Amino acid sequence: MKKIVCLGSLNLDHVYRVDHFVRPGETLSSAGYSVGCGGKGLNQAVALGRAGAPVMHAGKIGRDGGMLRDTLEKAGVDVSLVAEGETPTGHAVIQVDAKGENAILLFGGANREITEVEIDSALDAAEGGILLLQNEINSIDLVFRRAHDRGIPVAFNFAPFDPEDAARLPLELLSYLIVNEIEGAGVAGVENPEAILATLKSNYPRCRVILTLGKAGSAFLGDDGTMVIIPPFPAEVVDTTSAGDTFIGYLFAGLLEGMALKEAMELATRASAITVSRPGAAESIPFRSELA
């Protein structure tokens, strides 16, 4: 089986439970506080590992990030390319409201200090497999180009979305683009889900686009150009923090196993339904056995 290399962020998550998100000028007491492991890169690597996929994580932490490396290892992720530098580990301040929705403030830290040597090491490891990226590390455009030059398929989760990045990144070099409705609309310049998929397919014909739709499920374009919708699985929503990352990890675990895209997305949807029913980031991601 091919392996997947996740070159991505590693964050310490500071999670606050609140009745509502803090408003400008407001001081709000938190009903709960915890520190956990997160970052879109780590979450997606953990999801891949817990899904049973062969996965390696490449990224960077500071001296305070040992628990992040430990979390990856416990999920079955190869951490030999997790480097340690002098810059503090990236972290997130996460508010989770009474409805389970979240608002996140990021500090990039060591995630923004990945060197070209470390990038090349990740590309070496991804030869013959897939490279998975998110938009929380530096030098994304350089990674796209070097991976393309070496014939390595790249999957990119355009999160968090930045309009300036959308204008400058060579998205035409991608093999997979995974976006939610807001990110997809930002890249495509249209808002209707079917129009988003059609526009992105027209703009990037060699790229398979997967669109997540929150409570409406997810979608992609079939071979005949029509939109295929994967409905959501019912779940009691507690915390949506890692729902998208769980979806992506399980999606690529399924694809690596040889599943068709629709089947892999159905697997990913089942896993995400479990994730949203639990509090936390990486700790909320299910193991494959829980999907039985």
Side-chain angles (χ1 to χ4, degrees):
M1 182 189 295
K2 293 180 179 179
K3 71 177 174 182
I4 190 162
V5 175
C6 180
L7 174 55
S9 55
L10 297 146
N11 286 337
L12 293 169
D13 284 348
H14 300 268
V15 182
Y16 299 84
R17 310 249 1 150
V18 294
D19 288 334
H20 61 268
F21 299 147
V22 179
R23 303 182 183 100
E26 180 182 27
T27 298
L28 184 66
S29 294
S30 172
Y33 168 72
S34 62
V35 179
C37 298
K40 290 185 177 297
L42 178 140
N43 292 341
Q44 292 175 24
V46 166
L48 280 154
R50 292 184 178 179
V55 54
M56 172 181 283
H57 190 89
K60 202 161 195 174
I61 56 176
R63 294 181 179 179
D64 55 340
M67 69 181 292
L68 300 173
R69 186 189 286 113
D70 293 343
T71 295
L72 288 168
E73 283 190 300
K74 289 177 182 177
V77 179
D78 183 334
V79 296
S80 55
L81 290 181
V82 174
E84 184 175 308
E86 297 301 318
T87 303
T89 300
H91 71 253
V93 176
I94 303 173
Q95 299 176 67
V96 180
D97 71 9
K99 298 178 181 178
E101 297 296 331
N102 63 73
I104 303 173
L105 175 66
L106 287 175
F107 167 68
N111 295 314
R112 310 298 300 181
E113 302 291 337
I114 297 173
T115 68
E116 291 191 27
V117 171
E118 289 159 353
I119 288 170
D120 286 337
S121 294
L123 294 173
D124 289 343
E127 290 279 1
I130 298 173
L131 185 69
L132 174 62
L133 299 167
Q134 311 80 31
N135 202 32
E136 291 183 339
I137 63 170
N138 59 293
S139 303
I140 290 289
D141 51 346
L142 175 68
V143 179
F144 283 8
R145 297 184 192 282
R146 289 193 178 179
H148 181 263
D149 289 345
R150 296 171 64 161
I152 300 170
V154 175
F156 180 49
N157 175 211
F158 206 154
F161 177 76
D162 184 327
E164 292 185 4
D165 289 339
R168 70 178 181 82
L169 289 176
L171 301 178
E172 69 278 2
L173 303 182
L174 297 175
S175 295
Y176 298 93
L177 175 63
I178 310 96
V179 288
N180 64 22
E181 287 181 272
I182 295 173
E183 296 152 3
V187 179
V190 294
E191 294 187 358
N192 176 273
E194 192 163 7
I196 290 171
L197 287 169
T199 300
L200 294 179
K201 180 63 175 177
S202 176
N203 292 346
Y204 315 114
R206 297 182 181 180
C207 179
R208 174 67 86 174
V209 180
I210 295 97
L211 179 65
T212 60
L213 301 169
K215 295 178 181 178
S218 57
F220 68 99
L221 285 186
D223 293 337
D224 60 357
T226 60
M227 185 168 70
V228 179
I229 295 178
I230 310 298
F233 276 73
E236 181 179 350
V237 177
V238 173
D239 184 350
T240 62
T241 302
S242 294
D245 297 328
T246 300
F247 180 91
I248 291 169
Y250 269 82
L251 167 67
F252 282 95
L255 293 175
L256 286 172
E257 292 172 15
M259 292 182 184
L261 180 59
K262 183 174 184 291
E263 183 183 6
M265 289 173 67
E266 289 170 342
L267 174 73
T269 301
R270 289 164 55 203
S272 295
I274 296 174
T275 295
V276 300
S277 70
R278 302 168 170 173
E283 62 268 28
S284 70
I285 298 170
F287 288 89
R288 187 68 169 265
S289 59
E290 297 179 74
L291 274 66

